[in-house]
Amino acid sequence: MEEPLSSNDIIPWASHPNSQTRPQLGSPGWPSADLQFDPSSLLQLDYSTYEANKRYRGTQPGSFGGNLTEMHAMLDACLKVSRLERAAVIIRRLENIYHGNSHEWRALHHEYIRTLLRKAITERDAIAFKDAQKYYEIKIRLSGTRADADVYAYLVKGSLNFSHGPKRERTVRRYYDFAKSDERDLEMFQLPILSDAEISMVTMMCSEQFYQAIQELEPDETTTTSLPSLDPNQAVREVPQKGQGLHSLRRSLSIFSEAVTESEKCPDGTDKSPNKDTHARQLQLEEDSINAAIERWKIEHEKLARLRVGSSLRGQTLGSLMWDWHKSLKPLIEEELKRLDKAEVKKVQTEEDRDRCAYGPFLRVLSVDKLSAITILTAINSLSFEGFEKGARLGQLVAAVGHTVEEESNADDVNVRAKMHGPDPSTAWKRSKRLRTLQRVKSKMSTPLSAEAFEKAAATRDNVKPESVRWTLSQKIKVGSVLVSALTKAAKLSVQRIHPTTQEVINQVQPAFNHVYLIKRGRKLGMLFMNTLLIEKVKKEPVPHVIAKYLPMVVEPAKWTGFSRGGYIRYPTRVVRIKDADICQLQYAKTAAKRGDLDQVFAGLDVLGKVPWIINRKVFDVMLEAWNTGEALADIPPADPKINFPPEPAPSATRDERYNWTRRVRELENEKSGLHSQRCFQNFQLEVAKAFRDEKFYFPHNMDFRGRAYPIPPYLNHMGADNARGLLLFAEAKELGAAGLVWLKIHLANVFGYDKASFKEREDFTMEHMADIFDSASRPLGGSRWWLKAEDPWQCLATCIELKSALESPDPSRFRSRLPIHQDGTCNGLQHYAALGGDAWGAKQVNLEPGERPADVYTAVAEEIKRDISEDARSGLAVAKLLDGFITRKVVKQTVMTNVYGVTFVGASAQVRRQLTEALPNTVALDMPYSKLSRYVAKKIFKALSAMFGGAHEIQFWLAECAKRISEAVTPAQIEQLIARSSSDGVATEPVKRKRPFFRTPVIWTTPLKMPVVQPYRKFEAKSVATTMQQITIFEPSPTDPVSKRKQLQAFPPNFVHSLDATHMLLSALKCNEAGLTFASVHDSFWTHAGSIDSMNCILRDSFIRIHSEDVIGRLAAEFRARYKDCLYYTAIPSAGPAGRKVKEWRRGQSTEIRRNSKPGNIQMRELFLERERLNLLSSANPEDVERGRRMVTPASILEDHGGEPFGFFERAECVKAGSSPADGSSPLEDMPTAEDYSAPDLDVHDTSDMREDDKPKRAASALHIWLPLRFPDVPKKVKRLQDYVQKVKANIYFVRETLTCRD
């Protein structure tokens, strides 16, 4: 057994030098622990005064207005389609907004001149190159701005191509000297823009020494990268299914059918150049999906034409239909582009013309072929996943089409740059050798370049994935609506009908899609429905919906080196999943990546992504055989579900009878639609598995804003359901060993569902069912089918097959196993809370302390509630008598699990209610409503958790109170902006209660791995977008929107714990990689080979201890004090208290004229400015100013003099001890008052319609609102520190469980 790691080279919160290259794990370059919080290292970006939503109007024909985000997106689109005149208009507009020589100003001009130079060189336009030279001299050189290396490379390249004679050498020397003075010369040579021949010419012109250096190198060898030619006739075993569904992915991924020829193999049988071959196949896999879909449709259409099949709906396949739609849709898009050209040159434009000018450049970023194919595929995709009968909301559909166009445009842009500049990967080393020689020569001429700078240049050369400007939601919707509108006109069906009287066959042409309006909940909603005849066809024939961009990779994913550099080779991906419009989150993530703060996170994601996988062929064959029968098996739904709909009531039926019938029919329709959608999704999973069944593949990973890692391929991955997990094996096989064989047996018991017993009992369970296991592995469908009784049947079958193979081998301990074995944290959220709060009893319930068998917190809570209910029943309580004997582990599990993640009392009651409807007989429900029963049980659950995790709930309260204060705060910069906007007499122009932005400060913290987490919850304003089809209402977030105080408060405790959970997983991944273990993860479920389980368990415990050995909450408090320094927050104090009475008296004593002429919001703004002035005086170095500040009277100073505290945390702590359920039935988090509770009656309040009047939460007492300096409550003290039982955690073999039983 491998020894647990003791090195301390992967450090939470560690700071390290900002370099482009990460030190190797375990190397001396990795930093030592930085145990003290350093405020100077804190990443802070203030977006409280951000004004991107300010709109600018277009001032001339063809110009474009909008906010800054929209204008930048428009500029990017204009540059992509070479609309340089219009791009110049936008740049001039933006120049007036940005300060001269600011970062934004420089970025504008650099991107414009790059496009100008690329266009001139690509089109060999000497006049355009001269224009670019003039632009460089005026906008770049004369402004004193340092140009980027690629600009100099383009200028040199253009000079070599367009200049002649002495002027050529003089111009090249000039640009080289400029690059040298800006320290861009070597980086310019390292970029793939200049060819080897051009570099030789430059070095000869610029330096004799460079010329001599070139002679030392090998002769140039010009090679080009070409994708391997595909053999379209090479057969892959046919899957006996109807239609083209299972052919579609094979055609899209036909590169998998290419075999390595014998001449390409080494004597040992391996491929001589596997990296080159798989690299080329991966590029084709990322690039070719749309064109492959079009080609597939054409082939199907031509095949039917050769067979002389009629054009009616009955005779066509879906692929052939799509080809017809594609041919009809292309002319409509071309006509729209012509109308765009005319609209842009009109001197007098109509509203329709201006609208076209707004979306025109975005519609030109792709070819008409691709626009047409994307529209068809996305429409079918959206309708398929929503359920064909349900239709698709038009707003969501057109946004999806627009988003797909944007993504494909970005991918095309990357591919164009790569093909234009990228050297052949097989000869990249020659360029590196050339440049190393240039560096040596340069070191004799000037200061040698540092290793870091050289590596940075190399990284720049390899980077062909620049971060693209993202389109706004309104822009995507406008583009999508134009395309979907054209689709509804182009997509037709030729159907045959029988005349009811003459019985004559009549041919009709009907639209394939219908745009209709529905009234839902009093709102008019635009929908797109598929023709009912087409629905019947797609139910019988699988839908060929493939846009294969995010599929598993056939090469190891690129290492993450930046925010959008990593994962797929060329297809742009982001390391953090962030909504485009959330500028605050986006910029924090980008800045952290540039500073090097995310290096350890990048390393962890690289570890997860480089794990190779293969398809379990034996399980796949069984699954495919079961699938083709069309019958339900395990979690595979039937192809044609038999659902008996109740007969419609008679016309004389009562209103209640008809209502119940309608509700039941709707439920059954939803069930049927859900089964169809599930089967469609599983069909695609099987197609992906079939395509990759002979491949070794990888899952690139990125993460959400909390740091939780996810595989990017969405369909087939190890985070999928049981059927997806059963199909996957590690590509690398490792010996079981004696311990591994035991773990394999334990794993089988776990996936079967026998996972609450001790390890010995689970091993015995497997041995007792050995005959069933062998039967399942040998005859999975023809035998007793014991494996189908398992909780996770497909994973059980895979384990049966693996265990049988091991036991039948000559030495089972030497058997090389590929099966992933799971180790699951014991409700990780509660584990972290128990460690944070120091709860001894709670720690034992979540296996932080050892025991003879694994502790189960859900069972412990259920037993505690049973005892309480029995006591209440004996005392005569009616609700307890009804529930006595019916409380099980299942009833309480979900609420216990989600309690640490911020579930409200209403939510907990709903969870319990769903379980009680299954657990209780119908006779009980007749005696008392479920709502009362569920509230009673929910209170008992909160009470039990309070007793077990008292310290944890104190921490939860503290986190929520901090979030409450932050979400009611204004920053110093925002206060200064408000002061500047106020009139001379101090009357603010932006009152407190105005619906537009005021409280804009989100909760932000830093994880132990230095990842900044920004909560995105804001109150979005509805915005109506006029499209060619209808008005669409959207909600587009912006930093100018006020934060949602309630969501910020409720989400912070669970998000904080999720960030700790993510940190633990990534630390474990890094340690396992260092130890040579294969490691995969599903959040808090950890996977490795059976023989490595003991070593991984030691690492999991060590990583958990490493995190909680620090004062996590104390560090968070220190970060908050530094991050929100000098902020003021708006809160409430009791109006009847001493301080409240004094504040009211002080306010009455203010100037009568001021009170008479000011609105309430302006009075509060005056108090904000007054408090700000007082704090500035108190912090002054001048003693006289300090004394003036002490004499000033403000509501905050009054509260300080009377020793009072704001409403909320402290008052609540007195009456509601942590985790307990208040008498009024509200949960701790839900009951927290905010400023809105006193002044805004339009809050999003939970439904309490089924509560009795005396059960509803009470309103808070009368309160006064005042401004206070933002200070945070003292951190609750731990009952017991983790260090007190570190050895117990290390010794506990049940620290993790072995199946994923508590998904959060």
Side-chain angles (χ1 to χ4, degrees):
M1 184 175 66
E2 299 177 56
E3 293 295 325
L5 296 174
S6 58
S7 63
N8 201 27
D9 53 358
I10 305 170
I11 306 298
W13 290 291
S15 59
H16 50 80
N18 181 18
S19 65
Q20 294 294 321
T21 55
R22 292 194 298 268
Q24 295 297 315
L25 302 179
S27 68
W30 202 260
S32 59
D34 178 16
L35 303 182
Q36 300 299 319
F37 176 73
D38 180 13
S40 64
S41 67
L42 191 65
L43 175 59
Q44 286 187 275
L45 304 173
D46 190 355
Y47 280 85
S48 61
T49 58
Y50 187 76
E51 294 188 344
N53 273 11
K54 182 178 179 181
R55 302 193 66 81
Y56 302 86
R57 297 182 60 185
T59 56
Q60 53 183 289
S63 65
F64 173 75
N67 61 39
L68 288 179
T69 307
E70 292 170 338
M71 293 173 74
H72 276 285
M74 174 64 76
L75 173 62
D76 183 67
C78 289
L79 292 175
K80 281 183 178 179
V81 298
S82 296
R83 296 276 171 165
L84 298 180
E85 299 84 359
R86 193 169 180 192
V89 173
I90 299 174
I91 286 179
R92 285 196 293 271
R93 195 70 182 280
L94 291 170
E95 274 185 320
N96 297 327
I97 299 171
Y98 294 127
H99 298 294
N101 211 23
S102 65
H103 170 73
E104 294 84 359
W105 188 94
R106 292 194 301 271
L108 288 175
H109 293 296
H110 274 87
E111 192 56 42
Y112 183 79
I113 195 172
R114 281 190 197 99
T115 306
L116 201 59
L117 288 165
R118 277 200 301 266
K119 183 174 184 294
I121 293 171
T122 304
E123 298 178 2
R124 302 196 61 80
D125 188 339
I127 296 177
F129 181 72
K130 287 183 179 179
D131 292 338
Q133 288 178 303
K134 292 178 183 177
Y135 195 91
Y136 166 78
E137 297 294 342
I138 297 172
K139 294 295 184 180
I140 307 294
R141 195 69 195 166
L142 290 181
S143 66
T145 303
R146 291 179 60 193
D148 292 338
D150 58 344
V151 172
Y152 285 122
Y154 282 124
L155 287 169
V156 170
K157 188 181 187 76
S159 301
L160 290 170
N161 282 274
F162 297 120
S163 300
H164 304 282
K167 183 180 178 181
R168 183 191 200 193
E169 182 173 340
R170 186 171 64 251
T171 307
V172 170
R173 282 178 175 272
R174 183 170 185 269
Y175 289 134
Y176 173 76
D177 289 340
F178 287 157
K180 182 178 178 182
S181 64
D182 286 344
E183 299 180 348
R184 307 287 199 202
D185 48 338
L186 189 59
E187 186 180 350
M188 174 185 72
F189 287 127
Q190 184 72 4
L191 290 169
I193 296 172
L194 295 170
S195 67
D196 288 348
E198 289 169 336
I199 291 177
S200 298
M201 294 172 67
V202 173
T203 53
M204 285 188 291
M205 291 178 183
C206 297
S207 170
E208 183 180 352
Q209 289 93 330
F210 272 118
Y211 174 75
Q212 293 172 352
I214 293 298
Q215 307 307 311
E216 300 174 12
L217 302 180
E218 298 178 3
D220 291 343
E221 293 183 14
T222 304
T223 58
T224 58
T225 303
S226 60
L227 299 180
S229 59
L230 306 180
D231 180 8
N233 299 318
Q234 189 164 355
V236 176
R237 182 168 65 89
E238 181 72 24
V239 180
Q241 274 198 319
K242 296 180 180 180
Q244 296 296 316
L246 292 177
H247 296 304
S248 59
L249 185 66
R250 181 181 60 193
R251 287 177 182 149
S252 292
L253 307 179
S254 57
I255 57 173
F256 292 126
S257 62
E258 170 141 345
V260 180
T261 63
E262 293 300 320
S263 62
E264 293 175 321
K265 291 186 176 180
C266 298
D268 62 355
T270 59
D271 185 5
K272 290 180 181 178
S273 56
N275 290 334
K276 181 178 179 180
D277 177 65
T278 54
H279 183 90
R281 291 195 302 148
Q282 178 62 37
L283 290 179
Q284 184 171 347
L285 182 63
E286 293 181 26
E287 295 171 11
D288 207 29
S289 60
I290 302 296
N291 293 330
I294 298 173
E295 183 65 22
R296 181 174 68 249
W297 301 341
K298 183 179 180 181
I299 290 172
E300 290 189 25
H301 183 82
E302 291 174 348
K303 179 181 178 182
L304 294 178
R306 287 195 300 270
L307 296 175
R308 297 185 178 180
V309 175
S311 60
S312 67
L313 177 63
R314 181 176 300 178
Q316 287 189 287
T317 65
L318 281 178
S320 178
L321 272 175
M322 291 180 179
W323 175 251
D324 286 340
W325 299 345
H326 178 63
K327 290 193 299 181
S328 300
L329 182 56
K330 284 173 56 181
L332 296 181
I333 298 175
E334 289 169 350
E335 289 175 12
E336 177 63 23
L337 292 176
K338 291 177 182 177
R339 288 192 287 268
L340 288 172
D341 292 333
K342 293 178 181 178
E344 288 180 341
V345 297
K346 283 185 179 180
K347 294 184 177 180
V348 179
Q349 294 178 329
T350 64
E351 186 65 32
E352 185 179 5
D353 293 331
R354 286 192 290 271
D355 198 43
R356 280 201 171 94
C357 291
Y359 64 72
F362 302 100
L363 207 57
R364 292 191 179 98
V365 294
L366 291 177
S367 67
V368 173
D369 268 335
K370 283 196 172 184
L371 289 174
S372 173
I374 284 172
T375 306
I376 296 170
L377 287 169
T378 308
I380 295 292
N381 246 347
S382 299
L383 287 162
S384 171
F385 285 111
E386 290 292 333
F388 293 114
E389 295 89 346
K390 289 183 178 180
R393 292 191 178 189
L394 189 67
Q396 295 175 352
L397 174 60
V398 297
V401 172
H403 178 75
T404 309
V405 172
E406 179 196 21
E407 291 295 313
E408 187 65 24
S409 163
N410 292 338
D412 273 7
D413 190 42
V414 168
N415 292 333
V416 167
R417 294 181 189 224
K419 291 175 181 177
M420 206 168 116
H421 303 143
D424 187 330
S426 64
T427 59
W429 66 273
K430 295 179 181 178
R431 174 157 296 215
S432 297
K433 181 178 178 181
R434 175 184 296 277
L435 289 161
R436 283 194 298 270
T437 304
L438 290 176
Q439 185 189 24
R440 288 197 304 269
V441 175
K442 181 177 171 59
S443 65
K444 301 174 183 178
M445 301 166 57
S446 59
T447 304
L449 195 68
S450 66
E452 291 81 1
F454 188 84
E455 292 295 334
K456 179 179 179 181
T460 306
R461 179 205 69 207
D462 295 334
N463 172 30
V464 292
K465 296 201 311 183
E467 174 69 10
S468 299
V469 178
R470 310 302 290 191
W471 301 359
T472 66
L473 182 56
S474 59
Q475 289 167 335
K476 294 176 187 178
I477 283 177
K478 284 182 178 293
V479 171
S481 65
V482 171
L483 296 173
V484 173
S485 176
L487 176 64
T488 59
K489 299 172 184 176
K492 304 292 182 182
L493 302 176
S494 178
V495 299
Q496 293 180 341
R497 292 292 198 184
I498 305 296
H499 194 281
T501 305
T502 63
Q503 301 300 308
E504 181 183 359
V505 177
I506 300 175
N507 293 318
Q508 291 182 333
V509 177
Q510 297 181 2
F513 305 98
N514 296 296
H515 174 215
V516 300
Y517 291 97
L518 298 179
I519 303 297
K520 289 190 176 182
R521 297 181 180 179
R523 296 177 58 191
K524 190 177 180 182
L525 190 64
M527 302 287 294
L528 192 76
F529 285 96
M530 186 180 284
N531 189 301
T532 53
L533 297 175
L534 186 58
I535 291 176
E536 294 302 319
K537 188 172 187 66
V538 298
K539 284 184 177 179
K540 298 175 183 177
E541 180 179 341
V543 180
H545 59 292
V546 177
I547 300 182
K549 288 297 181 186
Y550 294 119
L551 287 169
M553 298 181 65
V554 294
V555 296
E556 190 172 306
K559 291 184 181 296
W560 286 104
T561 58
F563 178 76
S564 57
R565 295 197 300 271
Y568 290 99
I569 297 176
R570 287 193 182 159
Y571 199 74
T573 49
R574 292 175 168 184
V575 72
V576 185
R577 301 181 178 193
I578 294 175
K579 292 182 179 179
D580 297 333
D582 201 318
I583 304 297
C584 192
Q585 272 190 335
L586 186 66
Q587 291 303 322
Y588 263 98
K590 284 184 176 181
T591 307
K594 288 179 181 178
R595 292 195 343 162
D597 290 351
L598 300 185
D599 282 358
Q600 294 190 71
V601 173
F602 288 167
L605 293 175
D606 292 341
V607 169
L608 298 175
K610 73 177 184 179
V611 174
W613 300 82
I614 60 172
I615 295 296
N616 190 328
R617 290 292 300 270
K618 294 180 180 179
V619 174
F620 173 79
D621 291 340
V622 174
M623 194 177 295
L624 189 59
E625 183 180 349
W627 174 270
N628 286 335
T629 65
E631 299 176 359
L633 185 82
D635 59 352
I636 296 177
D640 186 18
K642 305 299 181 184
I643 297 178
N644 297 320
F645 288 87
E648 184 176 358
S652 59
T654 64
R655 180 179 178 181
D656 288 343
E657 288 175 339
R658 182 160 291 277
Y659 171 78
N660 291 333
W661 173 80
T662 303
R663 184 175 63 178
R664 180 59 181 160
V665 168
R666 189 184 303 116
E667 289 174 353
L668 292 175
E669 286 177 346
N670 289 338
E671 179 184 349
K672 186 176 181 180
S673 178
L675 291 173
H676 176 72
S677 297
Q678 183 181 349
R679 190 167 175 89
C680 286
F681 186 78
Q682 289 178 344
N683 182 69
F684 193 38
Q685 288 179 315
L686 276 173
E687 290 176 357
V688 174
K690 181 173 178 287
F692 284 87
R693 61 183 177 174
D694 296 322
E695 295 288 331
K696 180 171 69 173
F697 53 89
Y698 304 83
F699 297 128
H701 281 64
N702 61 5
M703 56 190 174
D704 65 13
F705 74 95
R706 301 165 299 185
R708 304 195 96 190
Y710 295 86
I712 300 175
Y715 298 105
L716 183 66
N717 60 62
H718 58 292
M719 284 194 183
D722 172 57
N723 65 308
R725 298 183 186 192
L727 286 170
L728 297 174
L729 294 173
F730 289 135
E732 182 182 3
K734 291 188 178 181
E735 286 189 1
L736 283 176
L741 184 61
V742 173
W743 279 114
L744 187 59
K745 296 174 182 177
I746 293 172
H747 180 68
L748 191 142
N750 292 329
V751 294
F752 193 85
Y754 188 73
D755 57 344
K756 305 301 181 292
S758 67
F759 291 155
K760 182 64 170 63
E761 291 169 336
R762 281 179 258 184
E763 185 181 2
D764 292 342
F765 170 87
T766 299
M767 298 304 297
E768 292 168 2
H769 290 86
M770 196 57 67
D772 294 323
I773 293 169
F774 272 67
D775 178 73
S776 297
S778 303
R779 299 185 303 157
L781 296 178
S784 64
R785 298 191 175 192
W786 174 80
W787 60 280
L788 288 176
K789 300 176 183 178
E791 187 175 293
D792 297 312
W794 293 110
Q795 293 177 80
C796 180
L797 177 60
T799 312
C800 289
I801 294 171
E802 193 81 353
L803 183 58
K804 176 178 179 292
S805 301
L807 295 177
E808 289 180 341
S809 65
D811 183 358
S813 64
R814 301 288 300 275
F815 176 75
R816 297 182 65 80
S817 174
R818 302 176 188 271
L819 187 73
I821 305 299
H822 313 166
Q823 299 280 286
D824 178 42
T826 309
C827 197
N828 274 32
L830 282 173
Q831 281 185 327
H832 285 291
Y833 265 127
L836 292 173
D839 298 298
W841 187 17
K844 187 172 183 180
Q845 301 305 321
V846 291
N847 293 316
L848 290 185
E849 292 198 4
E852 294 181 359
R853 58 194 308 109
D856 182 47
V857 66
Y858 311 116
T859 301
V861 172
E863 293 299 323
E864 181 73 16
I865 294 173
K866 285 180 184 178
R867 286 192 292 270
D868 278 0
I869 290 178
S870 296
E871 292 179 6
D872 290 347
R874 285 193 296 270
S875 65
L877 188 63
V879 64
K881 289 181 179 179
L882 291 173
L883 289 169
D884 196 12
F886 292 106
I887 300 302
T888 63
R889 179 183 185 273
K890 186 177 180 181
V891 171
V892 305
K893 178 181 176 181
Q894 187 180 13
T895 305
V896 172
M897 187 192 315
T898 56
N899 177 267
V900 295
Y901 298 124
V903 67
T904 65
F905 180 76
V906 173
S909 299
Q911 293 170 348
V912 173
R913 180 174 181 167
R914 285 192 292 270
Q915 300 301 328
L916 288 179
T917 54
E918 299 178 8
L920 293 176
N922 293 333
T923 54
V924 175
L926 295 175
D927 297 334
M928 189 173 292
Y930 279 114
S931 57
K932 185 170 183 177
L933 299 175
S934 61
R935 290 198 302 273
Y936 173 78
V937 175
K939 291 178 183 179
K940 294 294 183 183
I941 295 175
F942 281 126
K943 180 181 176 182
L945 288 173
S946 172
M948 291 182 184
F949 300 94
H953 279 77
E954 290 286 355
I955 295 293
Q956 193 177 18
F957 276 137
W958 183 86
L959 293 172
E961 176 64 19
C962 290
K964 169 184 175 292
R965 297 188 181 191
I966 292 169
S967 61
E968 295 172 340
V970 290
T971 64
Q974 192 178 0
I975 296 173
E976 295 302 322
Q977 185 186 61
L978 292 171
I979 293 173
R981 289 181 176 179
S982 63
S983 59
S984 59
D985 62 351
V987 176
T989 60
E990 187 176 13
V992 169
K993 293 186 180 180
R994 187 176 175 184
K995 290 184 179 179
R996 284 296 295 164
F998 193 74
F999 296 118
R1000 305 176 185 173
T1001 309
V1003 180
I1004 304 172
W1005 71 97
T1006 308
T1007 71
L1009 291 182
K1010 297 199 71 177
M1011 176 183 173
V1013 180
V1014 182
Q1015 291 201 146
Y1017 315 111
R1018 296 181 182 271
K1019 290 183 176 179
F1020 309 137
E1021 285 194 353
K1023 175 183 176 182
S1024 183
V1025 179
T1027 71
T1028 56
M1029 301 186 74
Q1030 67 173 59
Q1031 291 278 343
I1032 296 177
T1033 301
I1034 64 173
F1035 296 89
E1036 198 162 17
S1038 166
T1040 60
D1041 294 324
V1043 295
S1044 173
K1045 301 172 190 176
R1046 187 170 295 275
K1047 289 182 180 179
Q1048 290 281 342
L1049 182 154
Q1050 292 181 343
F1052 178 42
N1055 283 341
F1056 180 72
V1057 172
H1058 278 310
S1059 70
L1060 290 180
D1061 206 21
T1063 298
H1064 175 242
M1065 188 277 292
L1066 288 174
L1067 279 176
S1068 300
L1070 291 167
K1071 289 283 189 177
C1072 286
N1073 178 71
E1074 183 181 339
L1077 275 62
T1078 300
F1079 181 88
S1081 169
V1082 182
H1083 301 320
D1084 58 357
S1085 179
F1086 312 103
W1087 298 15
T1088 191
H1089 290 89
S1092 305
I1093 286 291
D1094 291 328
S1095 299
M1096 186 184 73
N1097 283 344
C1098 291
I1099 291 173
L1100 295 176
R1101 291 192 287 268
D1102 289 345
S1103 298
F1104 186 88
I1105 292 168
R1106 179 68 188 92
I1107 292 173
H1108 290 285
S1109 295
E1110 310 292 340
D1111 184 4
V1112 177
I1113 299 298
R1115 185 180 288 271
L1116 177 65
E1119 178 182 346
F1120 279 171
R1121 288 192 293 269
R1123 185 177 297 282
Y1124 300 106
K1125 183 182 179 182
D1126 297 330
C1127 289
L1128 293 173
Y1129 78 111
Y1130 193 60
T1131 189
I1133 62 173
S1135 61
R1141 292 194 297 269
K1142 191 69 174 177
V1143 169
K1144 287 192 287 187
E1145 180 183 345
W1146 174 81
R1147 285 177 175 172
R1148 285 194 295 268
Q1150 295 299 296
S1151 168
T1152 304
E1153 181 180 355
I1154 291 177
R1155 288 190 287 111
R1156 184 169 57 247
N1157 295 333
S1158 298
K1159 297 179 181 179
N1162 286 330
I1163 291 176
Q1164 293 160 3
M1165 194 70 75
R1166 287 178 182 277
E1167 292 183 4
L1168 170 66
F1169 298 162
L1170 192 64
E1171 180 61 26
R1172 177 66 175 169
E1173 181 184 357
R1174 184 178 78 94
L1175 294 177
N1176 286 341
L1177 291 172
L1178 290 175
S1179 61
S1180 173
N1182 187 340
E1184 294 181 359
D1185 289 341
V1186 174
E1187 184 59 30
R1188 284 175 52 204
R1190 288 174 180 167
R1191 290 197 301 268
M1192 285 184 67
V1193 179
T1194 65
S1197 69
I1198 293 173
L1199 187 67
E1200 291 174 2
D1201 293 341
H1202 287 75
E1205 293 290 350
F1207 234 174
F1209 181 82
F1210 295 92
E1211 182 187 57
R1212 183 175 56 259
E1214 290 297 321
C1215 63
V1216 184
K1217 294 303 179 183
S1220 63
S1221 176
D1224 61 14
S1226 58
S1227 79
L1229 287 181
E1230 184 187 353
D1231 193 47
M1232 285 186 178
T1234 66
E1236 291 182 325
D1237 288 322
Y1238 311 108
S1239 60
D1242 57 343
L1243 283 177
D1244 181 17
V1245 182
H1246 293 287
D1247 180 23
T1248 58
S1249 57
D1250 63 345
M1251 291 187 183
R1252 297 180 307 176
E1253 192 62 33
D1254 57 347
D1255 280 332
K1256 294 183 180 180
K1258 306 298 189 300
R1259 295 294 297 176
S1262 177
L1264 287 177
H1265 287 82
I1266 64 173
W1267 292 100
L1268 294 178
L1270 180 54
R1271 300 189 182 98
F1272 297 98
D1274 293 334
V1275 176
K1277 293 183 179 179
K1278 287 187 178 183
V1279 178
K1280 190 176 183 180
R1281 298 183 307 161
L1282 181 68
Q1283 288 88 332
D1284 296 336
Y1285 50 90
V1286 163
Q1287 295 306 318
K1288 295 181 180 180
V1289 174
K1290 288 186 175 182
N1292 187 10
I1293 60 174
Y1294 298 113
F1295 174 77
V1296 287
R1297 291 200 306 252
E1298 297 71 40
T1299 67
L1300 193 59
T1301 57
C1302 56
R1303 301 178 180 90
D1304 33 290

